[in-house]
Amino acid sequence: MSSSRQIREFPSPAELALSLSQLLVHESRGKSNFSLGLSGGSLVQLLSRELPRTAGLNTEGWKVAMCDERLVAFTDSESTYGEYLRQLVPHGILSESQFITIDPSLSVEDAAADYTKKLREIFPGNDLPTFDMLILGLGPDGHTASLFPGHPLLQVTDQIVAPIHDSPKPPPQRITLTLPVINAAKTVVFVATGESKATVLKVSCLNSSTTLSFLKYLPGAWPRCSFISSRKISSVVAW
Ligand SMILES: O=C(O)[C@H](O)[C@@H](O)[C@H](O)[C@H](O)COP(=O)(O)O
């Protein structure tokens, strides 16, 4: 899985979640340390439902970061970590101490600097954090993490985490992993659930020069990218 591009299609989000959980078992098996980046949106519920009943899952060595995070209190329903805390952690699958979280009390610049420092501690000695696996979402507008089409953050190459003040999708203040980190990850999985992803996938894959295309920014990750979808996308995606 980690070495080749794939599209995996499932008839329902439940079946997608099952496969994603099995992939996590496979990718983390035998690793005393497993670094995982998670996204928000529908992924929180998918994983929170499926991981607790996944056979063979050993999360002991897992460190879990957010691919992006909204600068709101963890108690706010907009907080991605807060949602994992409410939906996944109570199942005993992961403990709070395994998550690398932002400090939402800081300004967005300081929160990005603080998160950078925390990631550097998890990946000591590496210029770029090399996540074992990133699970990314995909917005109908073509954004992934908090990297939005046409936004200047797509040009950032000298930071591993960037602040964003003007996210087109609310809330406006967020922090995000930057493209170099996504490109350096060992396995990158895009989870594209729902009808709204078909257009962006089609446009992105058929014409990689379009502004909408997130794929043109992922030359490093592309050979290791997978798409997991709850609908048939292979018919619209040129692979
Ligand atoms: O911070 C955010 O706004 C979300 O995390 C967002 O980036 C999400 O991952 C995608 O929009 C896909 O969301 P769905 O899977 O819910 O469609």
Side-chain angles (χ1 to χ4, degrees), residues 119-140:
L119 289 185
R120 294 257 181 241
E121 283 162 14
I122 301 296
F123 298 96
N126 294 14
D127 277 351
L128 276 177
T130 311
F131 279 91
D132 288 307
M133 185 163 161
L134 294 179
I135 306 181
L136 289 160
L138 181 62

Side-chain angles (χ1 to χ4, degrees), residues 39-42 68 70 137-139 143 145 169 174 193 197:
S39 301
S42 57
D68 63 327
R70 303 148 174 197
L138 181 62
H143 83 266
K169 182 179 176 187
R174 296 153 171 254
T193 50
K197 314 296 163 59

Side-chain angles (χ1 to χ4, degrees), residues 152-238:
L153 280 192
L154 293 172
Q155 311 307 326
V156 172
T157 54
D158 59 351
Q159 296 168 66
I160 60 171
V161 177
I164 174 166
H165 303 262
D166 56 354
S167 165
K169 182 179 176 187
Q173 293 197 317
R174 296 153 171 254
I175 61 98
T176 182
L177 296 183
T178 56
L179 284 170
V181 179
I182 297 177
N183 275 311
K186 292 180 189 157
T187 296
V188 179
V189 178
F190 286 93
V191 175
T193 50
E195 292 295 314
S196 62
K197 314 296 163 59
T199 303
V200 67
L201 281 169
K202 184 173 183 176
V203 172
S204 296
C205 295
L206 292 182
N207 177 6
S208 60
S209 64
T210 174
T211 323
L212 201 60
S213 178
F214 54 94
L215 298 177
K216 67 179 170 186
Y217 298 109
L218 300 171
W222 181 232
R224 301 181 305 284
C225 274
S226 303
F227 289 88
I228 305 193
S229 175
S230 59
R231 66 187 298 280
K232 188 154 177 57
I233 56 171
S234 54
S235 54
V236 296
V237 172

